[in-house]
Amino acid sequence: MSSSRESILAAVRANRPPATALPPVADFGGEASVERFTEWLHFIGGQVVRLAPDQPLEDAVQQLFPKAVRIASNLLPATVPVNGQTTTEVLEAVDLAVLQGELGVAENGAVWVPEANMLHRALPMITQHLALVLDHRHIVATMHHAYAAVQHTGAYGVFIAGPSKTADIEQSLVIGAHGARSLVVLLR
Amino acid sequence: MNHPQRAAVFTSDAERTTWHDETLWFVRQKRDKAVYAIPEFQQLRQLASDIKEHTLSRLDEYLEQFERNAQANGVQVHWAADAAEHNRIVLGIMRGVGATSLVKSKSMLTEECHLNPFLVQNGIAVVDTDLGERIVQLREEAPSHLVLPAIHLKKEDVGETFHLHLGTPKGEKDPQALTEAARLHLREKFLVGQVAITGVNFAIAETGAVVVCTNEGNADLGVNLAQVHIACMGLEKLIPRTADLGVFTRLLARSATGQPVTTYTSHFAKPAPGRQIHIVIVDNGRTRQLGRPDFRASLKCIRCGACMNTCPVYRRSGGHSYDFTVPGPIGAILSPNIDLHQHSSLPFASTLCGSCTDVCPVKIDIHTQLYKWRQLIAQANELPAAKKWGMKLLSSVLARPGVYRFGGKVAREGLRLLPHGLTHATAFNPWAKARELPEAPKQSFREWFEQQSSIPTGQA
Amino acid sequence: MRNGQQTPMKVGLFIPCYVDQFYPQLGIATYQLLEKLGVRADFPRQQTCCGQPMANTGCEQDAKPVYRHFARTFAGYDYVVAPSGSCVYHVRKHYDVVEQTPEVQRVRQSTYDLFDFITSVLGVTELPGRFPHKVGLHLSCHGQRGLHQANESEMTPVRDGQLSRLLRSVDGLALTELNRNDECCGFGGTFCITEEAVSARMGQDRVQDHLQNGTEVLTGGDMSCLMHLEGIVRRRQLPMRVLHAAEIFNAALAQPSKPVSTFVPGAVVAL
Ligand code: SF4
């Protein structure tokens, strides 16, 4: 290994402050309700749609995105097949991705999406619109609970909270920066 | 130029100063609202501070643990002692895969290392993909804020820049339209980017993962379309456990912009099949800062920018007035570690009001450190001569009550008897540029009290 | 609480150098206010300054003799009281660089801001008297964030503090609701000279907030901030008076209007 590694570690050792304790993992409780999750997701520009128990996913998607032609999904019949080898050109043309979310966070509207649910790592961001399907029983109160439930974040995984946005021009909020222009959570 | 001179230039445009101040105050207010809504917020700050302090106290062990786990994940870990070595490593990786183009999401570290000009000199095409960063890159300016790089610009300025570089219609200044133009322009860049660089918000020792937080999605888009991901991090980004992210993700966005969380909180651990992840761990003065007991707490910083949003001086002098990669209060305590002489005016660019310390999500005692840097700057003889000798004289007077009484009287009588034009001449007295001097009374309190004492008690 | 029946507490007044010379009326008001509250303060003649101007400029080493002189001057008192939170903050927080003799330690612990002394030591939270004006309170950072005499907007939306409570208790006095409750005025010691442009701008913005929200009398607990703000008010010839809160209370107490309730016995006599 490089000599910089050794010299940096030596400098850290030489300059290390006196030992202090690592606090125990935090948990402040909190409300894990669908209402709170919905409220926050709205606040950050997303949308929550509750599916009726027997409503097929295709119907809901058809209603919400009548104009979506190129749809990537492993949850319903897709029009664009996507896997880890799919080329950038194909990915770039996707109108809508419908993917499984694992976990929702009530305090901020975020949804945990691990790599296994993405089809391709770039799909949740490169798609023009994103729909995440979420089991309403999988909503936790805070990020503390979310990390406790996720445990290991795996090879790659993302908490996605609402559509892509920016406020870099005069602090005015614009939805749809580089990632998905809209985000809908379909609650089962 | 030093900070006061650059700040004077900034404030001379009164209207723009008002706008800058109010825009950032608005961000501070959004932060307040988000903070008030979390009853345990102050406990979270304490936890974050404790976790960071603990990590610093065992940083060598956590760095080694992180490296071991990252390597087990198939990640290549590099170490850079300084900016030059960091830049060489990045160029080496690019050359190794034969890449000539690079997309880069926000990374203050690469700004600190001046990576862009170095790569450009070496024939690499570098595109900053964060909207604000792209704007300042096109204008060949430095970012003026940690999380709002183009906050010094108005939409008209951005419109003009995009008209020149992206061909938007002249006069277009609608943020929505400008952002859309940037989206289309940058999509092209993402699609052909061979290598993607990201910064790192948190590096997790127990898993070897790095966490990157963005709102735009540019980090993920860049990384997941490129063959190679290079994550550049200062060695202070370590935290021990995944569970600690619960604390930091709750604090970061709320403190930064008042959002409950950033849109994308992305955890990168293993490269996708056939692709590469490199992590460059950089020192560049950090171990030196770690060795300064009074200043090491500055290494807890999570770069949220809250201290600049709240700073009444920053809001009225702009990020560029600091002339350092990290502006504002935190920049003023990081910069003297890098070059005490060059940045000696920054710790004085503060009233020590303490608001920065009160908003800081990791409880860095920023204003105390500003005070302490001032002492070191004076000891290193970096004070302007007038300040230094004035203070020596003042101290010797104030330790001698007799001389002090006489001096005070002379000053007061002078103010009372001399003409206004002379006492308020701005060439000698900067106070008087915008302010009147106090009206000098005939009698000092001391003189009054002495009179009272000669009167029997109860009559005062 | 202590009162006249026991050994009277020995209180030494610390009047900052610029107050002594330029705002004697504040020294007088402080003295008289304390007297009305039953405390007869002494003014040790040897006093000079707390040393803050030097230290904030980075010349802490040069200021050490000044610190020792301060401690020596006030060694014999139970309490040191100053109408200036910023000096108190300096004594408490920054006198750690001189040898911590019992004398230095005691003086550091017993140095109080005037309103902290009135509230915490005398136990007075309401003042009688009348002051029928719209009053704008400027919270000085060292008293507020440094000594925690008032809530910080960084922590809580609740606007409360020792001084605002005392002011509210005065009959006829209405407090201005400000847009920014606790932003710094920009005085900052030598900052007001070395960073003249930003300092002036900060002061102007504070004054504007008061003007816009109807302040007739601008007040606070720290004369240094008020000197800076008054300089701006007078330069712009604004319809606003600037008075230290001690001056307001002292004036208000001269015309009592409601029955004295939670009050120290000495005060009643003095009135
Ligand atoms: S010093 Fe604190 S407030 Fe400032 S950027 Fe760093 S973490 Fe945020």
Side-chain angles (χ1 to χ4, degrees):
Chain A
M1 267 288 142
S2 69
S3 65
S4 287
R5 178 186 187 276
E6 303 317 322
S7 65
I8 290 169
L9 286 172
V12 171
R13 257 172 235 127
N15 292 324
R16 216 163 89 144
T20 61
L22 176 63
V25 173
D27 177 2
F28 294 93
E31 189 192 317
S33 68
V34 168
E35 291 69 32
R36 236 181 124 219
F37 175 80
T38 307
E39 218 173 279
W40 277 110
L41 192 58
H42 280 164
F43 180 76
I44 57 177
Q47 199 189 338
V48 173
V49 173
R50 289 212 70 160
L51 298 179
D54 49 358
Q55 188 182 5
L57 191 54
E58 295 89 302
D59 284 9
V61 169
Q62 170 61 33
Q63 273 172 28
L64 284 163
F65 302 94
K67 287 195 218 124
V69 178
R70 288 173 297 248
I71 301 176
S73 180
N74 55 350
L75 306 174
L76 48 77
T79 51
V80 185
V82 171
N83 62 32
Q85 272 66 56
T86 305
T87 62
T88 302
E89 293 67 44
V90 173
L91 289 171
E92 212 267 321
V94 172
D95 295 325
L96 172 69
V98 184
L99 304 172
Q100 185 68 44
E102 289 300 315
L103 191 81
V105 188
E107 70 162 336
N108 56 26
V111 178
W112 173 246
V113 186
E115 180 181 28
N117 300 9
M118 291 180 183
L119 307 184
H120 184 288
R121 285 189 182 197
L123 182 60
M125 296 88 200
I126 202 167
T127 177
Q128 295 293 330
H129 301 273
L130 177 62
L132 295 172
V133 180
L134 184 67
D135 184 332
H136 75 277
R137 293 163 304 184
H138 292 181
I139 289 177
V140 297
T142 68
M143 292 303 286
H144 304 299
H145 305 106
Y147 280 107
V150 169
Q151 289 226 347
H152 198 291
T153 52
Y156 172 60
V158 185
F159 280 104
I160 300 178
S164 155
K165 58 180 88 63
T166 183
D168 273 349
I169 300 175
E170 274 201 11
Q171 273 299 288
S172 23
L173 180 70
V174 178
I175 303 279
H178 301 302
R181 294 175 189 275
S182 74
L183 177 103
V184 178
V185 170
L186 300 163
L187 267 190
R188 276 221 180 271
Chain B
M1 279 214 281
N2 57 20
H3 185 273
Q5 289 161 336
R6 289 185 292 259
V9 173
F10 190 87
T11 51
S12 66
D13 188 339
E15 234 172 275
R16 197 175 262 252
T17 305
T18 302
W19 175 81
H20 191 264
D21 166 60
E22 284 175 355
T23 308
L24 286 159
W25 180 255
F26 179 61
V27 182
R28 155 78 209 268
Q29 285 179 307
K30 287 196 291 183
R31 173 254 173 221
D32 287 350
K33 236 179 121 193
V35 166
Y36 301 159
I38 305 290
E40 63 266 26
F41 198 84
Q42 300 308 325
Q43 284 160 277
L44 284 171
R45 288 176 72 218
Q46 189 60 50
L47 274 173
S49 171
D50 290 348
I51 294 168
K52 281 283 186 181
E53 229 162 83
H54 163 79
T55 314
L56 290 176
S57 81
R58 290 178 42 186
L59 189 57
D60 50 331
E61 295 165 36
Y62 283 123
L63 281 166
E64 288 178 300
Q65 188 191 3
F66 173 75
E67 180 189 40
R68 257 196 322 277
N69 287 323
Q71 286 169 344
N73 290 335
V75 169
Q76 298 179 53
V77 179
H78 311 259
W79 300 74
D82 53 24
E85 189 173 9
H86 164 266
N87 294 351
R88 278 199 306 275
I89 290 170
V90 172
L91 183 63
I93 299 169
M94 303 257 333
R95 295 235 163 110
V97 295
T100 53
S101 75
L102 174 73
V103 288
K104 195 162 141 275
S105 75
K106 195 141 84 221
S107 150
M108 289 315 287
L109 178 70
T110 58
E111 291 288 340
E112 172 187 323
C113 295
H114 303 290
L115 176 68
N116 285 13
F118 172 81
L119 290 179
V120 170
Q121 269 169 28
N122 284 281
I124 307 276
V126 184
V127 176
D128 278 309
T129 58
D130 172 85
L131 177 57
E133 294 262 317
R134 185 63 181 153
I135 294 168
V136 297
Q137 187 186 29
L138 290 173
R139 296 173 62 94
E140 296 178 31
E141 289 177 355
S144 66
H145 188 286
L146 280 179
V147 292
L148 319 164
I151 195 64
H152 59 291
L153 298 172
K154 303 196 69 166
K155 54 184 184 236
E156 291 80 7
D157 304 327
V158 179
E160 194 50 38
T161 303
F162 279 15
H163 172 64
L164 275 173
H165 295 275
L166 310 186
T168 52
K170 184 144 186 74
E172 179 62 82
K173 58 180 177 126
D174 173 40
Q176 183 90 37
L178 293 172
T179 302
E180 184 62 27
R183 176 182 170 106
L184 298 176
H185 157 73
L186 284 166
R187 277 239 159 182
E188 286 168 24
K189 308 287 179 190
F190 282 123
L191 301 184
V192 298
Q194 298 160 300
V195 174
I197 286 192
T198 68
V200 170
N201 290 94
F202 309 100
I204 317 301
E206 71 174 4
T207 63
V210 294
V211 178
V212 181
C213 306
T214 72
N215 279 325
E216 299 180 6
N218 55 318
D220 296 83
L221 203 47
V223 167
N224 294 331
L225 294 176
Q227 281 304 309
V228 180
H229 173 192
I230 308 175
C232 302
M233 58 177 267
L235 49 76
E236 81 283 17
K237 295 290 162 192
L238 261 288
I239 55 173
R241 308 165 295 201
T242 301
D244 298 322
L245 287 169
V247 173
F248 290 101
T249 52
R250 297 190 76 195
L251 288 167
L252 178 62
R254 289 188 174 95
S255 300
T257 59
Q259 291 170 260
V261 71
T262 47
T263 305
Y264 302 93
T265 305
S266 309
H267 309 66
F268 299 92
K270 292 184 191 169
R275 304 197 176 195
Q276 301 177 16
I277 298 181
H278 297 259
I279 295 174
V280 190
I281 302 174
V282 183
D283 181 348
N284 205 30
R286 286 165 175 77
T287 52
R288 187 170 58 233
Q289 190 85 319
L290 188 65
R292 303 182 194 264
D294 285 343
F295 304 110
R296 59 169 59 120
S298 61
L299 294 171
K300 296 190 291 184
C301 176
I302 57 171
R303 304 286 191 267
C304 72
C307 57
M308 36 207 84
N309 302 338
T310 202
C311 179
V313 177
Y314 173 91
R315 277 189 265 111
R316 292 173 182 82
S317 65
H320 290 153
S321 68
Y322 294 81
D323 196 24
F324 184 67
T325 315
V326 179
I330 177 67
I333 59 173
L334 291 177
S335 56
N337 177 54
I338 304 295
D339 187 337
L340 189 79
H341 174 72
Q342 193 192 339
H343 304 295
S344 65
S345 71
L346 296 190
F348 294 93
S350 163
T351 59
L352 306 180
C353 75
S355 185
C356 46
T357 301
D358 279 356
V359 295
C360 177
V362 288
K363 297 190 87 159
I364 301 172
D365 53 342
I366 306 174
H367 73 294
T368 305
Q369 295 193 29
L370 288 168
Y371 176 87
K372 289 186 171 160
W373 274 119
R374 292 181 182 188
Q375 311 307 326
L376 291 192
I377 287 165
Q379 279 165 36
N381 248 325
E382 293 289 348
L383 281 189
K387 227 186 211 178
K388 186 172 86 191
W389 292 106
M391 287 304 145
K392 278 205 190 301
L393 182 68
L394 190 57
S395 303
S396 72
V397 168
L398 292 175
R400 293 186 188 80
V403 184
Y404 160 76
R405 275 201 293 272
F406 176 71
K409 202 170 160 66
V410 170
R412 175 163 48 85
E413 292 294 335
L415 193 54
R416 208 159 68 81
L417 301 173
L418 293 172
H420 184 273
L422 195 58
T423 55
H424 287 71
T426 52
F428 312 113
N429 185 1
W431 171 277
K433 250 174 123 170
R435 293 161 288 213
E436 288 296 303
L437 285 163
E439 275 169 340
K442 287 213 178 70
Q443 199 181 30
S444 71
F445 173 73
R446 186 180 294 270
E447 287 162 358
W448 175 86
F449 190 83
E450 263 149 34
Q451 269 176 13
Q452 299 305 300
S453 319
S454 52
I455 304 169
T457 36
Q459 302 296 303
Chain C
M1 195 197 303
R2 309 180 52 164
N3 61 37
Q5 267 73 53
Q6 299 154 342
T7 345
M9 59 170 96
K10 276 192 77 185
V11 174
L13 259 194
F14 173 62
I15 300 296
C17 26
Y18 66 95
V19 172
D20 178 35
Q21 292 299 325
F22 296 117
Y23 296 99
Q25 70 277 18
L26 167 57
I28 296 167
T30 306
Y31 180 81
Q32 291 179 342
L33 177 63
L34 285 172
E35 193 170 53
K36 287 169 187 167
L37 295 174
V39 174
R40 203 172 171 84
D42 187 21
F43 177 78
R45 314 292 202 283
Q46 292 303 305
Q47 66 179 270
T48 56
C49 170
C50 68
Q52 182 177 211
M54 288 77 80
N56 279 359
T57 311
C59 301
E60 189 173 65
Q61 292 309 319
D62 296 330
K64 281 176 168 178
V66 183
Y67 295 179
R68 289 191 204 101
H69 178 73
F70 185 98
R72 223 175 303 130
T73 307
F74 288 101
Y77 293 93
D78 299 325
Y79 294 100
V80 186
V81 176
S84 162
S86 135
C87 303
V88 173
Y89 175 76
H90 191 70
V91 171
R92 288 209 197 156
K93 169 135 179 168
H94 293 306
Y95 272 32
D96 54 351
V97 291
V98 292
E99 197 197 333
Q100 296 301 294
T101 60
E103 181 181 287
V104 169
Q105 283 181 17
R106 222 169 63 84
V107 167
R108 287 180 74 188
Q109 278 160 18
S110 58
T111 300
Y112 277 79
D113 164 73
L114 174 63
F115 303 110
D116 194 13
F117 178 76
I118 290 176
T119 308
S120 316
V121 180
L122 298 184
V124 174
T125 50
E126 282 178 36
L127 289 171
R130 195 170 153 69
F131 196 78
H133 296 283
K134 182 110 189 236
V135 173
L137 172 58
H138 175 70
L139 287 171
S140 290
C141 303
H142 284 171
Q144 184 203 20
R145 296 194 188 85
L147 300 171
H148 306 292
Q149 290 178 256
N151 289 350
E152 296 113 314
S153 63
E154 293 86 354
M155 311 280 180
T156 164
V158 181
R159 296 178 172 185
D160 188 26
Q162 293 175 343
L163 194 44
S164 62
R165 243 173 288 160
L166 287 173
L167 285 167
R168 269 199 199 93
S169 74
V170 171
D171 196 24
L173 190 153
L175 273 185
T176 310
E177 271 295 318
L178 294 166
N179 299 347
R180 301 186 188 181
N181 194 45
D182 53 13
E183 189 173 54
C184 177
C185 68
F187 172 68
T190 43
F191 177 87
C192 74
I193 302 296
T194 53
E195 287 267 5
E196 187 276 332
V198 178
S199 169
R201 181 62 212 241
M202 286 168 69
Q204 288 158 357
D205 289 352
R206 282 293 73 237
V207 167
Q208 187 58 33
D209 193 354
H210 281 277
L211 197 66
Q212 206 181 325
N213 289 292
T215 295
E216 295 164 19
V217 178
L218 175 53
T219 194
D222 207 314
M223 203 60 221
S224 52
C225 310
L226 296 179
M227 172 168 72
H228 163 68
L229 294 172
E230 188 198 34
I232 289 163
V233 167
R234 282 181 36 227
R235 170 62 55 88
R236 302 196 153 182
Q237 304 187 323
L238 301 173
M240 200 186 286
R241 276 189 76 193
V242 180
L243 290 174
H244 190 281
E247 296 177 80
I248 292 185
F249 293 132
N250 194 45
L253 281 170
Q255 30 183 298
S257 66
K258 59 184 179 190
V260 176
S261 55
T262 56
F263 224 61
V264 281
V268 186
V269 178
L271 284 169

